[in-house]
Amino acid sequence: MYICTHIINMKIGYDAKRIVRNGTGLGNYGRTLVNDIAQYDEQLDLRLYAPDKGRDELRGQIVAQDNVSFCYPQESFLPLYKAWWRTKGLIKDLQRDQIQIYHGLSGELPFGISKTNIRSVVTIHDLIFLRHPEYYHWIDTKIYTWKFLQTIKEADHIIAISECTKRDLMEFGEVDGSQISVIYQSCAPRFSKEEVRGKKEDGRYILSVGSIEERKNILLAVKALPYLPEDLQLVIVGRHTKYTDVVQEYVQRHGLTQRVKILHGVKNEELPDLYAGAEAFVYPSVYEGFGIPIIEAISTGLPVVACTGSCLEEAGGPDNLYVAPDDAEGMAAAIRQVLRGAEGREERILRSQAYIRRFEGQNVAQQVIDLYHQLLF
């Protein structure tokens, strides 16, 4: 009971729910990886299984190629059926389509796939709900933990997007290191310095991109502003949450309304120009699985100031600056070192851009395809 929008060699299925529904994060990871793989090897038959068509603009970000197709359940208008199909019913469709490998792009696999002849790979992005449960409702933590433990039982192999995530998998999931491959994620080509046009915001500003939630810790960058030049603004791009209200209250209480701008609903195609117009990028998150905005920022020619304690040094490399997640004065001092005109700024950027070449799309695609071949042959 399914609809497949069209049909070619090694058949690989993907969990495409986030691809068609999520504008950032897991959605960006899935779209970028599928596009890279599809263009790297046109002999692969890639089937994207989603419970519905999702958002047209997101689905349209998958490059139209003969070796890529979307597949949906026929009863996709029924919410309960869609949920059941993705977690269980999908397996029959995978078998019918003779899928050889199924890749769960967002940390989940259909229950029972380990009992079929379909090999399975799952990408685990982070285990923050286990490392820092204080940022989640306790019920959500229980649900996420149960899904995680079920998924690692089903998986033939696990992709961790950083060494940090691999360590967490071994600690919290007791997964053998031989079952885990660290394959970093790449950012979309639109963030290449050559692709951007110029700045979109007036005046001098530093930029931060990411959901505005407590774990992302953007309040640290706000607290650093009084120690920085008065004509320097902070532009924050991200999804509104309850934590946004906390940030806005702090901004108003400390007379920073002219120096902090919060932008919601920024389109993907608008982001590169916001990066390009900034003097520096700040990413003060307490904990991340990887931190793709850091790669985006470096790609567009920005120096980065981030926080210690998770994988951000791994993402940004040794030529960016990292401070403790509760050190506002340290954050300000680091930002001053990377503003335009600071000594060594341009050299720091060039070395960082050389470092992040390891995250380029074709390199990542080749590693993932090599893993597929290892599982089958």
Side-chain angles (χ1 to χ4, degrees), residues 158-230:
I158 298 170
I159 292 175
I161 62 169
S162 67
E163 292 289 347
C164 178
T165 296
K166 179 178 179 178
R167 291 193 296 270
D168 283 351
L169 279 163
M170 295 173 70
E171 177 180 347
F172 292 107
E174 299 183 351
V175 181
D176 190 288
S178 63
Q179 195 187 351
I180 308 168
S181 294
V182 175
I183 302 179
Y184 295 107
Q185 61 185 113
S186 59
C187 71
R190 65 178 177 275
F191 292 99
S192 167
K193 191 174 181 181
E194 292 73 24
E195 295 292 324
V196 297
R197 296 183 298 277
K199 96 184 193 177
K200 290 288 186 179
E201 293 298 309
D202 295 329
R204 301 177 64 196
Y205 66 94
I206 53 177
L207 179 69
S208 186
V209 176
S211 295
I212 306 169
E213 56 187 273
E214 185 179 2
R215 173 176 57 85
K216 299 288 188 178
N217 195 33
I218 191 58
L219 197 56
L220 180 70
V222 174
K223 291 177 178 178
L225 277 177
Y227 303 102
L228 293 167
E230 291 185 2

Side-chain angles (χ1 to χ4, degrees), residues 277-292:
E279 290 196 31
F281 185 76
V282 291
Y283 202 65
S285 181
V286 173
Y287 206 85
E288 292 291 325
F290 183 62
I292 196 66

Side-chain angles (χ1 to χ4, degrees), residues 235-251:
V235 175
I236 304 167
V237 177
R239 177 176 58 86
H240 185 281
T241 68
K242 291 181 180 179
Y243 182 69
T244 310
D245 299 330
V246 174
V247 174
Q248 290 174 325
E249 288 173 9
Y250 184 93
V251 167

Side-chain angles (χ1 to χ4, degrees), residues 243-300:
Y243 182 69
T244 310
D245 299 330
V246 174
V247 174
Q248 290 174 325
E249 288 173 9
Y250 184 93
V251 167
Q252 292 173 357
R253 194 164 62 249
H254 291 81
L256 296 170
T257 54
Q258 299 303 311
R259 299 189 64 185
V260 178
K261 181 179 288 188
I262 300 177
L263 304 177
H264 306 301
V266 174
K267 296 179 180 178
N268 283 326
E269 58 268 26
E270 297 172 340
L271 267 179
D273 290 327
L274 280 172
Y275 277 110
E279 290 196 31
F281 185 76
V282 291
Y283 202 65
S285 181
V286 173
Y287 206 85
E288 292 291 325
F290 183 62
I292 196 66
I294 288 178
I295 311 303
E296 295 171 351
I298 296 171
S299 296
T300 52

Side-chain angles (χ1 to χ4, degrees), residues 66-139:
D66 289 341
N67 63 331
V68 181
S69 57
F70 281 92
C71 301
Y72 314 101
Q74 284 186 342
E75 291 85 353
S76 61
F77 59 91
L78 299 173
L80 289 178
Y81 181 84
K82 287 190 288 189
W84 174 84
W85 178 82
R86 183 167 176 259
T87 58
K88 184 74 174 179
L90 169 61
I91 291 178
K92 289 185 178 180
D93 293 348
L94 299 177
Q95 292 173 318
R96 184 177 295 142
D97 291 341
Q98 298 182 321
I99 295 299
Q100 295 165 283
I101 291 179
Y102 182 76
H103 189 161
L105 295 171
S106 55
E108 296 181 56
L109 290 171
F111 299 152
I113 196 168
S114 59
K115 298 178 181 178
T116 72
N117 60 354
I118 302 168
R119 306 306 302 274
S120 62
V121 180
V122 64
T123 297
I124 302 293
H125 297 262
D126 62 67
L127 295 179
I128 300 171
F129 55 91
L130 290 172
R131 178 64 70 184
H132 286 285
E134 66 271 20
Y135 294 125
Y136 298 84
H137 191 286
W138 70 270
I139 294 178

